[in-house]
């Protein structure tokens, strides 16, 4: 009964997957939660409100204009009571409403009035999901801190096969559990995370860099802090807000990252290197801006320090996790890095795959371990990937204890 007495609002919208919301309601109540359901008008075309009302033993919120709510402000009352608001399934239309802040039905009014965590589980046809408008709306919600449970790939109601199926209900319930009853399995640990790109200057205004946004590393830092760790985040230049609870050390170049990581290494029991460190830097930085038309036909480069390889040499009992950003022979190249750099885990990241790698909010990775094991993860939000990596780290810590 891990969700015992937790007050959850379940928003159901007009997708064929609305029938799965009935089972979701059952799973949540079985776990001990008190669930109230709010339905859009379109949802009622797929499932009768009576079904939800009977199973939840609570009135279903339907019509804002109903006289039943005339003596109280229904959307405020419902949102104030809730400890979590989950919208599953969420159609493209509801996602757009939430992203735009439209308050034109009960569900979208509750979203605007709510101060609790919000979870959105999209379900729609694959072409709709890939449309720029839907992607932008989901990105906007993510930026606002809404938890998106990424849809699965498989047969769709249209007869097509693709991404768009409502995520597995166990995945949605797992995410709700994580938010309402966060694990504290990293309490007492110090986790050192690196994130973002490095910049290697050519002159005072130009640099060599890469497309890393820092999102993957920041998600790991945030997840580790939420699980009770002391977190030191060594970050290259990014536009991201510091993750709550993490001590952030900002650096610019690979050399600065190298020094910062080594300076903090002593206290860290776990190091996770998600940063995209430049492998080469210009041998010389011009003091003044190199003028247009000047002799810049060639830039001489030299290797930067390989921070992870250095950590591998000094490993000891510390858990060491590296990433491998690859575009070809992904697993073989990642395994070679795991062995060469003396790692416990390597996260193989196929950065050529749509929705994975640099700058996006999602990632699809395979985790390889030192015993030859591999765990392929589906496309997940970077925060979910972070938690999956930390699950592996905590398993290694338990084994070592
Ligand atoms: O930041 P995002 O936009 O969210 O994108 C995430 C990501 C794609 C950057 C991330 O998921 C990722 O794959 N990070 C590793 C990028 C990388 O530099 O990979 P690599 O295969 O070149 O390096 C292997 C490992 O060695 C990495 O852990 C890297 O941090 C480390 N390294 C590399 C070079 C160097 N000089 N020092 C290092 O420590």
């Amino acid at each position: 009964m891990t969700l015992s007495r937790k007050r959850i609002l379940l928003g159901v919208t007009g997708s064929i997957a609305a029938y799965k919301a009935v089972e979701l309601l059952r799973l949540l109540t079985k776990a001990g939660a008190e669930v109230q359901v709010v339905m859009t008008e379109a949802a009622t075309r797929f499932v009768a409100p009576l079904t939800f009302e009977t199973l939840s033993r609570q009135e279903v919120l339907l019509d804002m204009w109903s006289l039943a709510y005339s003596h109280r402000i229904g959307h405020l009352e419902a949102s104030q009571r809730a400890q979590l608001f989950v919208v599953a399934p969420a159609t493209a239309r509801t996602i757009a409403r939430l992203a735009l802040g439209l308050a034109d039905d009960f569900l979208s009014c509750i979203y605007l009035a709510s101060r609790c965590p919000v979870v959105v589980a999209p379900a729609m046809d694959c072409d709709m999901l890939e449309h720029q408008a839907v992607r932008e709306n989901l990105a906007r919600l993510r930026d606002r801190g809404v938890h998106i449970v990424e849809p699965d790939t498989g047969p769709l109601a249209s007869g097509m096969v693709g991404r768009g199926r409502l995520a597995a209900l166990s995945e949605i319930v797992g995410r709700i559990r994580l938010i309402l009853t966060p694990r504290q399995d990293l309490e007492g640990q110090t986790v050192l995370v690196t994130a973002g790109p490095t910049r290697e200057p050519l002159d005072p205004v130009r640099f060599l860099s890469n497309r890393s946004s820092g999102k993957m590393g920041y998600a790991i830092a945030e997840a580790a802090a939420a699980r009770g760790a002391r977190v030191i985040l060594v970050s290259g230049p990014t536009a991201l807000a510091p993750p709550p609870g993490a001590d952030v050390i900002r650096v610019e170049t690979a050399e600065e990252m190298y020094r910062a990581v080594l300076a903090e290494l002593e206290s860290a029991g776990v190091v996770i290197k998600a940063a995209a460190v430049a492998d080469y830097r210009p041998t010389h930085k011009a003091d003044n801006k190199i003028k247009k038309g000047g002799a810049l036909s060639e830039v001489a480069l030299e290797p930067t320090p390989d921070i992870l390889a250095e950590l591998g040499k000094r490993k000891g009992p510390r858990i060491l996790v590296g990433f491998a950003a690859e575009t070809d022979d992904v697993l073989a190249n990642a395994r070679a890095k795991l062995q060469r750099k003396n790692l416990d885990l390597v996260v193989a990241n196929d950065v050529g795959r749509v929705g994975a790698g640099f700058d996006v909010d999602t990632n699809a990775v395979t985790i390889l371990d030192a015993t030859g094991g591999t765990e392929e993860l589906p496309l997940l939000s970077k925060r979910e990937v972070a938690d999956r990596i930390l699950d592996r780290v905590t398993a290694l810590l338990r084994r070592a204890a």
Side-chain angles (χ1 to χ4, degrees), residues 316-332:
R318 189 173 292 121
I319 305 291
L320 198 50
V321 183
F323 272 70
E326 305 290 345
T327 53
D328 53 276
D329 290 335
V330 177
L331 296 187

Side-chain angles (χ1 to χ4, degrees), residues 211-337:
R211 295 172 45 221
S212 170
S213 62
K215 287 178 183 173
M216 189 65 248
Y218 276 55
I220 296 170
E222 187 181 300
R227 291 167 76 151
R230 173 180 173 236
V231 175
I232 304 166
L233 173 62
V234 178
S235 171
T238 74
L240 304 175
D247 296 331
V248 184
I249 301 170
R250 297 201 181 270
V251 297
E252 186 120 348
T253 63
E255 184 69 38
E256 287 171 13
M257 187 171 277
Y258 177 76
R259 288 174 201 273
V261 167
L262 291 192
E264 298 298 330
L265 192 59
E266 187 70 22
S267 63
V270 178
V271 181
I272 306 179
K273 285 223 71 256
V277 186
D279 289 319
Y280 292 93
R281 64 188 169 204
T283 50
H284 172 72
K285 178 189 165 195
D287 290 337
N288 298 311
K289 183 183 170 194
I290 301 167
K291 299 288 178 294
K292 191 175 169 187
L296 190 65
S297 56
E298 280 181 3
V299 177
L301 300 175
E302 63 185 1
T304 56
D306 189 325
I307 309 167
L308 194 53
E310 185 58 35
L311 299 182
K313 286 183 199 150
R314 306 174 182 214
K315 188 174 171 309
R318 189 173 292 121
I319 305 291
L320 198 50
V321 183
F323 272 70
E326 305 290 345
T327 53
D328 53 276
D329 290 335
V330 177
L331 296 187
N333 286 330
R335 184 155 297 286
K337 277 180 188 164

Side-chain angles (χ1 to χ4, degrees), residues 132-147:
Q132 186 76 7
V134 175
R135 283 165 43 182
E136 282 172 13
N137 286 335
L138 284 170
R140 204 181 268 197
L141 292 178
R142 261 188 217 102
D143 286 349
R144 250 181 241 153
V146 171
H147 303 262

